[in-house]
Amino acid sequence: MGLWAAVHAARLGIDTVLIDAGELGQGASGGLLGALMPHMPDKWNPKKQFQFDALVSLESEIAALEAETGLSAGYRRSGRLIPLPKPHLRTIALGHSEDAEQHWQAGERRFHWHVLDRPPVSGWLEAADSEGGFVHDTLAARVAPRSLTSVLAAFLRKAMHVRIMENVALESLDPDAGRARTSAGTILFDRCIIAAGHQSFPLLGEQTSGLAKPLGQAVKGQAALLKADVDPDLPTIFRDGLYVVAHEGEHVAIGSTSENRFDEPFSTDAQLDALLDAARALVPSLRDAPVIERWAGLRPKAIDRDPMLGRHPEHERLIALTGGFKVSFGLAHRLAQAAVLIAAGDEVPFELPDSFLLSGHIRVASR
Ligand SMILES: Cc1cc2nc3c(=O)[nH]c(=O)nc-3n(C[C@H](O)[C@H](O)[C@H](O)COP(=O)(O)OP(=O)(O)OC[C@H]3O[C@@H](n4cnc5c(N)ncnc54)[C@H](O)[C@@H]3O)c2cc1C
């Protein structure tokens, strides 16, 4: 989120200091999966429209950065496959298919929620346990998280107007005076965007009066990377919270657990083994694929679950940009663009769902 914000600020020629307590891209965004999954196409609302527009526009945003840096972000609109274990789910899926025809339109481009008897490719998803058939969604995409953060970082390292300070932690803020105390000294600012992942919640909470609860929490996730000689164009498989994502370089990512309580934030355990077993049962070609990495990270989940964006109601100079929870990768570029425009006092040229606004999250945490 912060990297995208710095990209947008750089494009506007705004003098920017990007500080990171670690190295760029090593937080929750330094993971393995990078699934870009649309919301369901039914019950359409501003939040779904925002995500749809973001998922469509990400493709050209990434292409532009790739052209500027000469690096690949490992992006592909490879779609998604969802097995339907029961016949009645097929009826529901057919309804969603009509919803997608109506709502998944961007100019001339159309995206679909096909309902199929068989998977569109063989040897990838096991056909057993899918009495209702399969959904093949053509809007879903994926990106390689570490490749994307490397592209963003490479762009920023060359950008005029951007100064990067790594291994520098924000310690305290006096937003009204425009003063940030960091582990490397004091920084004076005109506007400050807090995009510190789950650590944004206490940082913003300290600046907020009347809170009865924290503004959000960290939700741990575990994932794994397998080495497998599969086509990187294969669609992402999704079933009951399990994702199987084919990437370039003979890599397949498996994820993710969702843990509200945990003792060790960055270690993996038997919960990941169970996911790996489930993935191997679903995808025969992964049965013997070796695990080359196990990884865990902390997602930022805002109190009202949606992303948390916007000017702080008590501090004009302070802007929140966090709470992407499980869908940050598909939204970050748009949320960050909005955050930078808000910081600059410019109009945001697209609608921001009310449920994203920091002020709304603060209301919920104040009850
Ligand atoms: C296992 C797993 C699988 C996931 N899969 C997907 C997926 O498939 N698709 C998807 O869209 N999302 C997925 N997510 C969620 C996604 O990774 C996160 O929502 C996203 O990375 C959050 O990005 P962020 O920029 O808000 O936070 P982060 O990437 O955590 O970045 C926050 C940055 O702030 C810095 N920071 C923190 N505190 C301070 C401080 N005091 N001073 C200075 N710097 C500070 C950190 O060092 C870090 O670099 C997954 C998450 C997990 C854990």
Side-chain angles (χ1 to χ4, degrees), residues 1 19-22 27-29 33-35 168-170 195-197 199 203 221-223 256 295 297 299-300 324-329:
M1 292 272 197
I19 77 163
D20 195 314
S29 306
L33 237 62
V168 173
L170 174 66
Q199 281 150 301
L203 286 169
Q222 302 181 38
S256 304
W295 180 85
R299 308 175 180 97
F325 193 29
K326 296 185 176 176
V327 292
S328 290
F329 279 99

Side-chain angles (χ1 to χ4, degrees), residues 1-3 19-37 143 145 149 165 168-171 195-200 203 219-224 243 245 254-257 295-300 321-332:
M1 292 272 197
L3 299 179
I19 77 163
D20 195 314
E23 284 166 24
L24 299 186
Q26 307 272 296
S29 306
L32 305 171
L33 237 62
L36 304 169
M37 298 292 107
V143 67
T149 53
M165 297 172 75
V168 173
L170 174 66
E171 289 171 348
H198 72 93
Q199 281 150 301
S200 311
L203 286 169
V219 176
K220 179 176 172 180
Q222 302 181 38
Y243 287 90
V245 188
I254 309 290
S256 304
T257 66
W295 180 85
L298 298 179
R299 308 175 180 97
L321 176 59
T322 183
F325 193 29
K326 296 185 176 176
V327 292
S328 290
F329 279 99
L331 301 180

Side-chain angles (χ1 to χ4, degrees), residues 6 30 34 45 130 142 150 160 163 177 202 207 232 254 260 293 307 313 315 344:
N45 60 30
S130 51
R142 55 89 172 144
S150 298
M160 283 167 69
R163 177 164 167 221
Q207 302 297 333
I254 309 290
N260 287 316
E293 184 176 345
H315 307 288

